[in-house]
Amino acid sequence: IDGIKELKMYGLYNLFEGNYRKLLDEKIISEGKLHFLPQINSALDSLLAQLCIIFAYVAGGIFILNQQMTLGSIMAFVTFSAYVIGPIAVLLNVKYKISGILPSVERVSEMQNSLKEYGGGDYAFDTGMDLSIVFREVAFSYDKSTKLITGLNIEIPGYGAYLVKGENGKGKTTLVNLLMRLLKIDGGSIEVNGRDIYEYDLEKYREQIAYIGQDPFLFKDTIYNNLTLYQKVTNKKVLDVCRTCNLETLLESKTLDYDVGSNGANLSGGQRQKVAIARALLADRRIIIFDEATSNLDQGSKMDFYRLISKIKKEKMIIMISHDEYAMGVADKVICI
């Protein structure tokens, strides 16, 4: 579903899971009523028709025995007999109706299974330690037949800005998805602060990572709730982050209570991107991942973005996936895959 990555990375899965299941149950009930009531009506019509046919057969049989039936009556019986075929056809087609429903059931089941995650280990992330990330001989494939990543070795030593580069399809986004534990590696290990990432409690681990993608998802809610992600944050702190991310122009024309629409439909692409960046900064996480985050920004906004990276990289680990030439200027290290 749309926004599932944001739900997982910002710890909102449990908050929205209840709403999702409630909506799904309501949808099933409403769809059931929608399809069930016409079928009841159709069944009653068929029952009435069948009772009429039975009556006609009984009456016709009596007339035949009394030799009171004409040729026209016989033809009428032949015509009436055609109605018997209809209900039989309906019963025979039940299995085809069910087969038409099964693919949808399987898709819903597949989606439900994709939402399930396992917490992993019990270790909490030590926020007092310096950061370090090491990929050791990491391997991963989507279809188990073609290896996308094999023998990957990367070291990200600490705070700073790190640019991940590579040709399209080489696994740059997959690499950060593995780091965020949205995907599970097939071989090797990923270590954060010297410990395998699967030894950390999943929720505590992700509390250290903020993610901004190429097409960030915004909830159909206010700007304030999209920035704070339903946490209690003072307006002053929100406004300070908005100024840092150059959202003053948006807030001059719209208030924090402005509804952004479904997935930010009421905002421009650049405004959505800035809201997503501000959301990540407001979450105050130690690792920030930008996956082509400047793709919807104009030239001026891009320069503001890289100035922001230069400022925050002293106290954050910034991992950037970008083809933008300006990214090289702020990167402390380039990682090629």
Side-chain angles (χ1 to χ4, degrees), residues 230-249:
Y230 306 95
Q231 304 298 314
K232 291 183 179 180
V233 183
T234 63
N235 279 7
K236 182 181 182 304
K237 187 173 182 180
V238 172
L239 292 173
D240 287 344
V241 171
C242 288
R243 280 190 289 270
T244 301
C245 297
N246 297 308
L247 280 168
E248 301 102 317
T249 304

Side-chain angles (χ1 to χ4, degrees), residues 5 17 42-43 63 66 79 185 218 220 237 262 265:
K5 185 177 286 188
E17 182 185 22
S42 177
F63 292 147
N66 294 330
T79 303
I185 62 175
L218 299 185
K220 188 182 184 305
K237 187 173 182 180
S262 180

Side-chain angles (χ1 to χ4, degrees), residues 90-107:
V90 171
L91 292 174
L92 292 175
N93 287 325
V94 166
K95 64 177 182 179
Y96 298 109
K97 294 290 185 180
I98 294 175
S99 65
I101 296 171
L102 286 178
S104 297
V105 174
E106 290 173 357
R107 284 194 293 270

Side-chain angles (χ1 to χ4, degrees), residues 259-273:
D259 193 321
V260 302
S262 180
N263 195 13
N266 296 336
L267 302 179
S268 68
Q271 289 171 335
R272 289 173 56 201
Q273 204 80 354

